[in-house]
Amino acid sequence: MDLQNLTDYERRRLENIRRNNEMVASLKLHSKAAALSEEAKRRRVESKSNKVSPKKKPKTQSPIVIRRSLRTRGLPPDFSSGNGHKNEFVESMMKGPKSPSTPEGSKSPSLPEGPLSIRDRVFLDKILGFSKESQLRSSDKCSADDEVDEKKPLDCLIKRESGGGVEGSVDLGSMTLNAENIARIMPGRIMNLRFFPCIDSTMIVAGDKSGHIGFWDVDCEKERDGVFLYQPHKDPVSGILIQEFSQSKIFTSCYGGSIQLMDAEKEVFDKIYSSERAILSLSQRPNYVNCLYFGEGNGGLNLWDMRAGKEPSSSWPLHEYRINTIDFNINNPNIMATSSSDTTACIWDLRKIDSDKPKTLKTVSHSRAVHSAYFSPSGSSLATTSVENKVGLLGGVNFEDLSMIYHENHTCRWISSFRAIWGWDDSYLFIGNMKRGVDIISTARRKTVMTLQSEHMSAIPCRFSAHPYKVGMLAGATAGGQIYMWKSC
DNA sequence: CGGCCCATTATTAAT
DNA sequence: ATTAATCCATGGGCCG
């Protein structure tokens, strides 16, 4: 752009952009200086081309949200009083500005960013309660000398009842959305959400575009008493993993390249891995509690055995572009499915993946990016979702039967891509639509057979989670930080 | 073709 | 009620 020909308006705009970048740098938001200036450069370019005027400071500057009365009334958070039951989430924001500022461009190799401590006793006790419950359950199920995989003898195996969680046909007609099962739990666009695998309570954790991790204890009578918000990340949250048999531990990953571990026993969020490249998906092989699988950069898949070292133990170039989801087959944890923006979804055998050119067991080709590939609860089918307006269904003894089901999957820029998820058995898939509904696809009839709608849904639900134990309990999340929880009654 | 620019869209906070 | 701000997704068009 020709600097001479700028209008005053544009000049001011550029000045603002510069200031913002400086501020971001001084906040030491998380990345290395080099990455930052790269980012800054890119943003400048972007802003120029995009005719946008970032007059305002980034959103993270203003105390956000809903939950506790302090914030609701727009008052500044108060950390001095000893009242334990109060808004905490701003703690994460307070960390930044207090640390010494780094001028843009200077070298600051590894920032001594401490863990983000969690002080909300109410929240901690809740999580620790779930954890205790889950440990009791797991001690029933766990047997020490189970069959062990030949390749990873290090891993502890926890026995599960075959088929995983629940088997059950859902009564679609009974699924309802009540006004009290709606909450806005975070400010940004929700990218990811998950039910705690908990029988006695209903707890949802979600991650949004600006790095927040929010918790909603649905059973609380008042919304503000059940919502807890933190901001351990500074970038979009790409994955959330609750440790099923130790629910006080939750892994989260983000586009900025970090993986954090929330540990309610240690009362912290702590960064445990950091990469130059974006982390775009995160998963865990069933029963292998010490291994993380995550998609990094353009098509890379990493396996990290956390006991073996600080870095991933293996890394394979499985795709050409980003890996959007990673999923494992409940019947055979050696079988893994990935979906990628390179327009394919692939099934892999982990025992045969150790080579420079890993070979797929099966490839589902779409004509556009594939945003999800999930195995069905029984493990015998795979459902893929692509922005080419199709949901792929792969079945048969060796996944040789492929059928494509038409579904409008195109979302606009502000709505996260749709991903068809499985319900509680192999009969239905649940996926959002642009008309503020939840389409239910019957796998037997290979078409949408019903749409959940409600006047209470004021926005498009785009990401979903089905409760692992409660048939009919389905949570949908929106671009505005809302969650709708349907349940069967 | 690959790499760039551009338009598109939904939701919410602010006016 | 209307408007402004959002800005890490994607396809199409247009250049070299």
Side-chain angles (χ1 to χ4, degrees), chain A residues 1 9 23 42 51 143 155 234 241 268 271 278 282 320 323-324 330 342 348 358 420-421 481:
Chain A
M1 187 191 278
Y9 172 72
M23 191 199 54
R42 214 179 40 97
K51 302 243 182 238
S143 89
D155 270 286
K234 303 296 181 206
L241 285 179
V268 290
K271 184 183 287 185
L282 177 68
E320 234 171 291
I323 295 174
N324 294 307
I330 194 79
D342 70 4
W348 313 86
I421 68 155

Side-chain angles (χ1 to χ4, degrees), chain A residues 80-97:
Chain A
S80 52
S81 98
N83 180 2
H85 190 190
K86 70 166 163 337
N87 169 10
E88 272 241 340
F89 114 99
V90 196
E91 272 184 72
S92 61
M93 323 247 134
M94 307 295 283
K95 282 170 62 77

Side-chain angles (χ1 to χ4, degrees), chain A residues 321-369:
Chain A
Y321 299 114
R322 49 186 281 178
I323 295 174
N324 294 307
T325 60
I326 306 163
D327 195 34
F328 291 88
N329 193 303
I330 194 79
N331 284 336
N332 182 350
N334 294 310
I335 304 299
M336 174 183 77
T338 53
S339 68
S340 166
S341 293
D342 70 4
T343 75
T344 67
C346 298
I347 299 180
W348 313 86
D349 186 334
L350 287 175
R351 292 163 299 192
K352 299 176 186 163
I353 214 172
D354 260 332
S355 68
D356 292 340
K357 276 201 162 261
K359 236 184 128 231
T360 70
L361 230 48
K362 211 82 206 177
T363 300
V364 180
S365 295
H366 286 270
S367 66
R368 300 272 182 263

Side-chain angles (χ1 to χ4, degrees), chain A residues 162-202:
Chain A
S162 76
V166 287
E167 294 281 328
S169 187
V170 59
D171 175 12
L172 297 178
S174 74
M175 288 180 71
T176 50
L177 174 63
N178 298 323
E180 69 265 24
N181 290 331
I182 296 172
R184 174 164 286 121
I185 70 163
M186 44 183 32
R189 174 170 123 208
I190 294 178
M191 319 272 295
N192 229 293
L193 78 163
R194 218 165 260 274
F195 276 101
F196 272 66
C198 215
I199 296 168
D200 300 328
S201 321
T202 308

